[in-house]
């Protein structure tokens, strides 16, 4: 297996001189060299053919011993030096100090077709940053990350990617809900792929220690490889860099809100410097529309990371990044200007996104109220967000009186759509129909446009859980079926119609389907 290795992070930035793989505080270094733990009997469960091609891996190599050994951690690829990154972060709004790659080991970087990719094993063993953890991952969480990474990509959401999913052959002890009921689960290893895994927390670590030399080196490195058009390092360039990161982060958040994705644990160490969705832990998709929903049991009381708060949390996290970059500029005003612009831009971009979901192309003054009134209606009775917007494209101009029937399948309790609730819905549909009459597009054109931004298929929590349950028994058919289904989330796929359905009642309160923890 021949790869075009092009390491940069561990060639140009400061290493940890202590080669002992023991948990400790690491100072003055961006990363620590560490080799993956050798699994007892790894088995390849799935690969992403798309990423095989993107990385320039020969298809015949996928079934080879080399592929198995390198991407399970048995062997270190020739002339490479795996490492774990050092970073810090704010967790649930509180400063947590040094964190780092506790169970992720970066293998190497590859450049293919002028694109740079870092390949990283998650669940490959302890690192100096593992704290109380064992550095391992279980099949349950690995399947969720594997499926979701690719599903998000095909939805058009900026995200890290995956190459492969393997069983390690070792059992891993986990207390899934942190309630004292630990049990052994199958161990697994995911090979994650991204242009870089640098996070807000990498910058926070050096700023918190007043290590301005390494803060500058890291910032210059990031600009050189990932924001090269910004120019040579200078105070002006650092502000442009912050603005570019802010814009990318906002773009990601708008996409999350569009498809109803809830990350679940938006700590600053889980924020990509490229504006990619990263670290798929206790995430979930909105089923019934609910601004206050979060899938993370750890966040159940305060709901800091709830769906409706994600844009605010992104801004809060960007403020922490601004604080970290401040020593390079030593002026607060430019950062404040960018952060204030985020709020303005969010309002504009969110409304434009909602227009696209409603099939509206021209801009009208009353659009904001139309959107707000719709959100109020969606909260009147449990309404499936994905199904509602997909069915809404079937609305026909001048037929407002038929529209409730058109979206009926989106209601979890259709018997509740009566009296005052029914009147509010009918009023909204009348206003929506009036608004559509201002548009030039005909019904067919509008439907095509709406179906391009309102997915028919998303990775509902219960779907992932069904794949996990089967995989636990050694059956990977459903894992593969969902992987293929989610490659084309906007297509009709009539043969897969059974997945275009509301969450089944049995999944409402089932662990893994409605509530998740960070335990993986």
């Amino acid at each position: 297996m021949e790869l075009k290795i092009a390491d940069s992070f561990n060639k140009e930035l400061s290493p940890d001189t202590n080669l002992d793989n023991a948990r400790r505080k690491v100072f003055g270094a961006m990363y620590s060299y560490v080799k993956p733990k050798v699994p007892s009997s790894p088995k390849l469960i799935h690969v992403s053919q798309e990423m095989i091609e993107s990385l320039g891996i020969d298809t015949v190599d996928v079934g080879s011993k080399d592929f198995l050994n390198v991407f399970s951690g048995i062997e270190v690829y020739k002339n490479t030096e795996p490492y774990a990154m050092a970073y810090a972060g704010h967790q649930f709004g509180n400063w947590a100090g040094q964190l780092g790659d506790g169970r992720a080991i970066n293998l190497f970087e590859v450049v293919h077709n002028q694109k740079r990719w870092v390949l990283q094993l998650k669940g490959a063993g302890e690192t100096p940053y593992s704290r109380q953890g064992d550095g391992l991952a279980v099949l349950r969480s690995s399947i969720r990350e594997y499926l979701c990474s690719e599903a998000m990509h095909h939805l058009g959401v900026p995200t890290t990617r995956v190459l492969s999913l393997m069983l390690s052959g070792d059992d891993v002890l986990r207390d899934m809900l942190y309630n004292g009921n630990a049990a052994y689960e199958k161990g697994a290893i995911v090979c994650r792929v991204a242009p870089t895994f640098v996070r807000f927390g990498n910058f926070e670590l050096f700023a918190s220690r007043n290590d301005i030399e390494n803060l500058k080196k890291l910032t210059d490195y990031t600009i050189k490889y990932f924001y090269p058009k910004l120019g040579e390092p200078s105070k002006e360039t650092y502000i442009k860099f912050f603005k570019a990161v802010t814009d990318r982060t906002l773009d990601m958040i708008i996409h999350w809100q569009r498809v109803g994705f809830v990350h679940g644990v938006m700590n600053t160490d889980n924020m990509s410097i490229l504006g990619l969705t990263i670290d798929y832990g206790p995430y979930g998709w909105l089923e019934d529309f609910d601004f206050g929903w979060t899938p993370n049991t750890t966040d159940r009381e305060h709901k800091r990371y709830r769906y409706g708060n994600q844009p605010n949390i992104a801004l809060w996290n960007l403020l922490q990044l601004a604080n970290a970059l401040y020593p390079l500029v030593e002026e607060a005003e430019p950062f404040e200007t960018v952060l204030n612009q985020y709020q303005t831009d969010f309002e504009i971009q969110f409304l434009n996104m909602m227009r696209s979901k409603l099939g509206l192309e021209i801009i009208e003054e009353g659009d904001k109220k139309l959107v707000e009134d719709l959100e109020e209606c969606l909260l009147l009775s449990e309404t499936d967000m994905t199904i509602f917007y997909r069915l809404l494209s079937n609305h026909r101009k001048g037929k407002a009186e038929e529209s409730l029937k058109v979206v009926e399948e989106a209601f979890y309790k259709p018997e509740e759509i009566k009296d005052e609730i029914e009147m509010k819905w009918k009023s909204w549909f009348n206003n929506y129909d009036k608004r559509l009459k201002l548009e030039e597009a005909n019904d067919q054109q509008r439907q095509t446009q709406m179906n391009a931004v309102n997915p028919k298929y998303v990775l509902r929590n219960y779907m992932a859980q069904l794949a996990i349950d089967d995989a636990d028994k050694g059956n990977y058919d459903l894992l593969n079926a969902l992987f293929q289904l989610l490659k084309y989330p906007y297509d009709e796929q009539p043969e897969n119609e059974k997945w275009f359905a509301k969450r089944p009642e049995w999944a409402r309160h089932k662990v893994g389907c409605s509530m998740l923890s960070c335990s993986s």
Side-chain angles (χ1 to χ4, degrees):
M1 182 173 68
E2 287 299 320
L3 298 167
K4 298 168 190 163
I5 302 297
D7 286 337
S8 63
F9 192 88
N10 64 344
K11 297 296 183 195
E12 298 182 24
L13 298 172
S14 319
D16 176 11
T17 53
N18 183 346
L19 300 180
D20 184 22
N21 187 7
R23 294 165 178 79
R24 55 195 153 81
K25 294 284 184 191
V26 175
F27 292 92
M30 309 267 182
Y31 58 91
S32 302
Y33 292 115
V34 58
K35 289 192 169 107
K37 179 186 177 184
V38 175
S40 63
S41 54
K43 177 186 175 185
L44 180 63
I45 292 177
H46 209 277
V47 291
S48 166
Q49 191 58 42
E50 198 176 326
M51 284 315 300
I52 290 286
E53 292 166 11
S54 295
L55 294 165
I57 298 174
D58 197 317
T59 308
V60 298
D61 286 328
V62 174
S64 70
K65 194 172 180 185
D66 276 356
F67 187 92
L68 182 77
N69 288 351
V70 169
F71 297 115
S72 68
I74 285 180
E75 281 179 17
V76 172
Y77 191 77
K78 61 190 177 189
N79 302 320
T80 65
E81 296 178 285
Y83 60 92
M85 285 200 298
Y87 48 82
H90 285 83
Q91 300 195 320
F92 296 94
N94 300 308
W95 177 244
Q98 177 186 296
L99 298 165
D101 286 331
R103 53 160 166 209
I105 296 175
N106 303 273
L107 297 181
F108 42 72
E109 295 169 51
V110 167
V111 170
H112 182 64
N113 289 339
Q114 298 180 308
K115 282 191 176 177
R116 178 173 296 276
W117 300 101
V118 179
L119 286 85
Q120 179 190 85
L121 297 187
K122 184 173 180 181
E126 297 174 42
T127 77
Y129 311 101
S130 294
R131 293 172 291 158
Q132 294 84 27
D134 56 16
L136 305 174
V138 295
L139 182 60
R140 161 176 53 86
S141 62
S142 301
I143 285 176
R144 284 174 49 79
E145 172 139 26
Y146 187 80
L147 283 175
C148 197
S149 300
E150 294 304 284
M152 290 284 270
H153 170 71
H154 292 293
L155 282 165
V157 183
T159 180
T160 56
R161 306 290 301 278
V162 286
L163 169 66
S164 60
L165 172 63
M166 300 202 187
L167 282 174
S168 65
D170 303 300
D171 288 340
V172 177
L173 189 64
R174 283 290 178 272
D175 182 354
M176 186 161 67
L177 290 177
Y178 302 137
N179 60 4
N181 295 318
Y184 281 100
E185 300 182 48
K186 289 181 179 178
I189 302 155
V190 173
C191 182
R192 309 201 290 187
V193 186
T196 182
F197 286 94
V198 171
R199 305 134 188 278
F200 290 12
N202 293 72
F203 300 85
E204 287 185 284
L205 178 67
F206 297 119
S208 70
R209 292 173 172 173
N210 204 28
D211 183 350
I212 309 306
E213 182 185 351
N214 274 315
L215 175 64
K216 185 177 186 315
K217 281 181 183 173
L218 176 65
T219 308
D220 292 350
Y221 165 85
T222 307
I223 291 169
K224 173 183 172 183
Y225 283 99
F226 307 107
Y227 294 91
K229 291 179 181 173
L230 300 182
E232 291 300 308
S234 68
K235 289 188 176 186
E236 290 73 23
T237 302
Y238 297 142
I239 289 297
K240 285 182 191 170
F241 167 61
F242 180 66
K243 174 73 168 98
V245 174
T246 299
D247 289 347
R248 287 195 186 192
T249 302
L250 173 57
D251 181 57
M252 175 188 76
I253 292 291
I254 294 288
H255 278 294
W256 286 5
Q257 303 307 98
R258 173 176 66 84
V259 299
F261 175 79
V262 187
H263 185 279
V265 59
M266 288 177 69
N267 298 332
T268 57
D269 56 298
N270 294 339
M271 296 292 290
S272 158
I273 205 67
L274 298 184
L276 305 174
T277 313
I278 192 171
D279 291 335
Y280 290 94
Y283 68 82
W285 252 273
L286 280 192
E287 304 205 88
D288 54 296
F289 184 81
D290 180 359
F291 287 119
W293 185 73
T294 175
N296 189 352
T297 53
T298 316
D299 196 21
R300 183 180 283 165
E301 186 182 351
H302 299 292
K303 296 190 174 183
R304 176 180 173 83
Y305 297 143
R306 63 194 181 275
Y307 172 68
N309 206 34
Q310 291 184 136
N312 298 326
I313 292 297
L315 178 60
W316 192 90
N317 289 344
L318 284 162
L319 173 59
Q320 310 318 310
L321 178 62
N323 288 337
L325 294 174
Y326 173 81
L328 302 181
V329 179
E330 295 181 310
E331 285 180 68
E333 192 179 348
F335 290 109
E336 289 166 0
T337 301
V338 173
L339 292 169
N340 289 333
Q341 189 63 43
Y342 170 98
Q343 297 176 77
T344 305
D345 289 347
F346 173 77
E347 295 292 333
I348 295 166
Q349 290 186 35
F350 179 79
L351 185 54
N352 284 338
M353 177 272 288
M354 288 303 298
R355 281 193 187 98
S356 72
K357 286 182 77 66
L358 295 175
L360 307 177
E361 287 189 291
I362 62 173
I363 293 173
E364 281 290 314
E365 201 176 313
D367 291 348
K368 189 167 187 282
K369 184 167 186 338
L370 187 72
V371 168
E372 288 168 352
D373 289 349
L374 171 58
E375 290 169 344
E376 277 186 33
C377 285
L378 289 169
L379 294 168
L380 294 171
S381 177
E382 269 188 287
T383 309
D384 192 286
M385 176 177 170
T386 302
I387 295 176
F388 174 82
Y389 282 109
R390 189 71 181 195
L391 292 179
L392 185 63
S393 70
N394 295 318
H395 173 92
R396 296 296 170 251
K397 279 185 192 177
K399 303 272 187 176
E401 71 282 356
E402 297 173 11
S403 293
L404 258 181
K405 195 78 180 157
V406 167
V407 300
E408 189 178 32
E409 277 301 308
F411 299 123
Y412 279 87
K413 298 171 184 171
E415 68 278 6
E416 291 183 358
I417 312 302
K418 60 183 183 182
D419 303 332
E420 191 182 347
I421 291 177
E422 184 179 13
M423 281 173 60
K424 284 183 176 176
W425 268 115
K426 283 184 172 176
S427 171
W428 185 81
F429 275 116
N430 281 326
N431 290 333
Y432 178 53
D433 194 62
K434 280 179 200 163
R435 176 64 183 80
L436 285 180
K437 286 172 182 169
L438 303 176
E439 297 286 327
E440 288 182 18
N442 62 34
D443 288 337
Q444 188 61 54
Q445 290 166 331
R446 187 182 72 258
Q447 182 164 34
T448 301
Q449 289 161 358
M450 290 173 72
N451 286 351
V453 294
N454 295 319
K456 183 172 181 179
Y457 302 103
V458 295
L459 183 61
R460 293 171 181 270
N461 311 320
Y462 83 90
M463 292 162 64
Q465 191 57 44
L466 289 174
I468 290 164
D469 292 345
D470 280 5
D472 233 8
K473 300 170 194 159
N475 181 345
Y476 309 112
D477 292 348
L478 184 53
L479 168 67
N480 186 56
L482 292 180
F483 190 87
Q484 300 306 325
L485 167 81
L486 297 166
K487 277 186 181 179
Y488 308 100
Y490 300 101
D491 292 2
E492 285 300 324
Q493 299 191 61
E495 71 280 11
N496 289 311
E497 196 72 22
K498 69 176 180 180
W499 299 116
F500 182 59
K502 297 188 287 286
R503 171 197 60 226
E505 196 55 35
W506 60 261
R508 182 180 287 273
H509 301 298
K510 182 178 165 65
V511 173
C513 299
S514 61
M515 50 182 175
L516 302 136
S517 74
C518 297
S519 160
S520 54

